[in-house]
Amino acid sequence: MKKLISILIMLLITASIFILPMSVSAKDKDVITLRISNCEEYIDEGNWDKDDTIDLDSGDIIGKNSMTTDFENWYYKTYGKKVKVEYSTYGTNEDLYNQITLGDNFDLVCPSDYMGMKMIDEDMLVPLSKEFFDTSNKYNYYAKGVSPYIKNLMDTTKIDNKKWSDYSAGYMWGTMGFVYNPDVVSTEDASTWKILENKKYSRQITIKDSVRDSYFAVLGLINSDKMSTDEFKNSKDYNEQITKLMNDTSQSTVDKAEERLQGIKDNVYSFETDSGKSDMVSGKVVANFQWSGDAVYSLDQAEEDNCYLEYAVPKECSNLWCDGWVMLKQGINGDKEKQQVAESFINFVSRPDNVIRNMYYIGYTSCISGGDDNRIFEYINWNYGAEDDEETVDYPVGFFFTGNSKDKDYIVKTTKDQTKRQLFTQYPTEDILKRCAVMMFFNSDENKRMNQMWINVRCFNLNSIPSYVWYIVVAVIIIVAILIIIYTKGHTFRNKKMQKKYKKI
């Protein structure tokens, strides 16, 4: 009997060695892994305090869990399948591209417009499915809720005859301009690219440590006078001309840009990627070239210290940017189930309550207007609507919600200061948008020119040294060489004399 029991125990142990890993493996196969990479601090991470609750008339909204955790739970409840989101972040679009080309494997990423276009051009992306755009599906929150303004922008922008909107689903959008302290900087000075060279604010302005953003800014500076003429502004193809000028990468233009950036480098406080927000709040600088979303953060933070900053978009032109979700071929790899999960994530973050959570948490403006769901407009009123005892002005946002800026159903009754502050920053007026251009992607030759220019600007550029300095350097080298030769010969002569002297002794 003891032998029999021993044999049974051994059989059970042996079986567990083989069966347990198989059961774990089976469980792993039941879980779909979705690998997402997004810009840093660009999604709701949850853990809100109760004081942060957004108490709309239609119901409260609060971020208890992270957006990714809530998606995992929602997907299982909706489709009965488990999903595990592996979420990581990157610093810049170029960082993301380098990670992908060096072998990092992602399914879903959220690059800016020009980088997404580059990925389309290089055949790196999976197009969004036809099912994704089916508005009869109640879970297709993106197709039902994307702003008509954003939809038109993405539908009409093409990359090698491919529609931008076929590959990218808009996430956040905005403009670029200057956050400024109105106690020090006039609105007039802040509303032009020329502020970057304005000696009045020497060492008190920051600019982006990004080749694309800073190049765009300096092109605005180079073409400032031309774009300010009535002839240019009244031309029939006004927006097309702006887009052409602001995406010019000819060698002569790149050379001009490098020269101007060298001068700007001596006038600004710093080139920065993220510190400009805190520098504005702390008062280190009086104007900061900024994305509109980060501008909102700066305005909000400064307001807590009773410092009221404002935002201005250059009168010549500005950048209309749009970040969007795209699916990578190397990640999806023909897996229809994984593609469905990726598209479901896009839809989940496009659901109006989640749109509001993300906007509140990160300060940026979503590409989603909500369609028949009015909560996003309700949220704008909750954020920026005037109190009953305040003097109000009408601020139209209909262009974003219905495509009609005169739509009376989408007018925010706000205070006058909001026409230069957060509301204006998040939802610029239609006349601002008419003079905005999208950054297009650059091909490999254009990128080489741009990168070399940026290296010259950000690093020490030998070509920038005047010729007379080289003459002085060469002259000094020759003089030093002659002195070394004279010294060496003199030293040798003295040694020989000493040797003769010792021989005589």
Side-chain angles (χ1 to χ4, degrees), residues 252-300:
S252 60
T253 299
V254 172
D255 290 343
K256 288 178 186 176
E258 180 181 333
E259 183 180 353
R260 297 295 280 271
L261 278 168
Q262 293 286 6
I264 288 170
K265 183 168 68 172
D266 295 331
N267 196 55
V268 298
Y269 174 76
S270 69
F271 284 77
E272 58 84 28
T273 53
D274 200 47
S275 61
K277 294 181 289 185
S278 57
D279 288 341
M280 277 300 304
V281 174
S282 66
K284 284 184 181 179
V285 297
V286 298
N288 170 222
F289 177 43
Q290 196 57 272
W291 302 298
S292 52
D294 281 354
V296 171
Y297 173 87
S298 296
L299 269 60
D300 287 344

Side-chain angles (χ1 to χ4, degrees), residues 436-452:
C436 287
V438 174
M439 285 187 199
M440 305 301 287
F441 81 99
F442 296 155
N443 61 37
S444 57
D445 290 337
E446 291 169 329
N447 273 321
K448 285 178 183 177
R449 285 198 291 272
M450 295 292 296
N451 291 337
Q452 186 57 57

Side-chain angles (χ1 to χ4, degrees), residues 476-492:
V476 169
I477 291 171
I478 292 171
I479 291 169
V480 170
I482 291 171
L483 290 173
I484 290 171
I485 292 169
I486 292 171
Y487 173 79
T488 303
K489 285 186 175 181
H491 187 69
T492 304

Side-chain angles (χ1 to χ4, degrees), residues 341-499:
V341 173
E343 291 180 344
S344 293
F345 182 83
I346 298 171
N347 277 317
F348 184 73
V349 297
S350 300
R351 200 175 74 187
D353 58 327
N354 292 330
V355 166
I356 293 167
R357 281 175 57 185
N358 278 330
M359 286 201 295
Y360 181 80
Y361 192 86
I362 68 175
Y364 278 71
T365 309
S366 174
C367 293
I368 305 300
S369 60
D372 294 334
D373 191 316
N374 210 39
R375 281 180 290 178
I376 295 170
F377 180 67
E378 188 183 349
Y379 170 69
I380 297 175
N381 274 307
W382 179 85
N383 240 344
Y384 305 121
E387 300 293 335
D388 292 338
D389 58 344
E390 291 181 311
E391 191 175 334
T392 65
V393 295
D394 288 349
Y395 193 90
V397 292
F399 77 91
F400 182 76
F401 287 89
T402 64
N404 179 9
S405 61
K406 296 180 181 179
D407 192 326
K408 293 181 180 180
D409 291 332
Y410 292 96
I411 292 176
V412 181
K413 298 285 185 180
T414 190
T415 54
K416 189 176 181 181
D417 68 305
Q418 280 300 328
T419 62
K420 293 183 179 180
R421 287 175 44 74
Q422 289 96 329
L423 177 56
F424 167 69
T425 307
Q426 288 204 289
Y427 295 94
T429 54
E430 200 168 22
D431 65 302
I432 295 285
L433 296 174
K434 285 179 180 178
R435 62 174 190 260
C436 287
V438 174
M439 285 187 199
M440 305 301 287
F441 81 99
F442 296 155
N443 61 37
S444 57
D445 290 337
E446 291 169 329
N447 273 321
K448 285 178 183 177
R449 285 198 291 272
M450 295 292 296
N451 291 337
Q452 186 57 57
M453 177 274 292
W454 193 241
I455 289 169
N456 292 343
V457 170
R458 298 297 287 121
C459 304
F460 189 70
N461 181 13
L462 294 176
N463 294 328
S464 66
I465 299 174
S467 56
Y468 73 86
V469 175
W470 286 116
Y471 293 139
I472 293 172
V473 171
V474 171
V476 169
I477 291 171
I478 292 171
I479 291 169
V480 170
I482 291 171
L483 290 173
I484 290 171
I485 292 169
I486 292 171
Y487 173 79
T488 303
K489 285 186 175 181
H491 187 69
T492 304
F493 179 73
R494 283 196 299 273
N495 283 343
K496 286 181 178 180
K497 284 185 72 178
M498 290 297 292
Q499 287 173 4

Side-chain angles (χ1 to χ4, degrees), residues 176-198:
M176 292 198 78
F178 292 97
V179 176
Y180 66 101
N181 185 338
D183 292 336
V184 183
V185 182
S186 69
T187 302
E188 184 181 1
D189 285 347
S191 301
T192 174
W193 294 113
K194 292 182 178 181
I195 192 174
L196 292 168
E197 293 181 327
N198 194 328

Side-chain angles (χ1 to χ4, degrees), residues 13 74 79 97 102 123 148 189 213 230 413 443:
I13 293 170
W74 173 83
Y79 297 104
Y97 183 80
L102 290 173
D123 197 28
D189 285 347
D213 295 323
D230 290 337
K413 298 285 185 180
N443 61 37

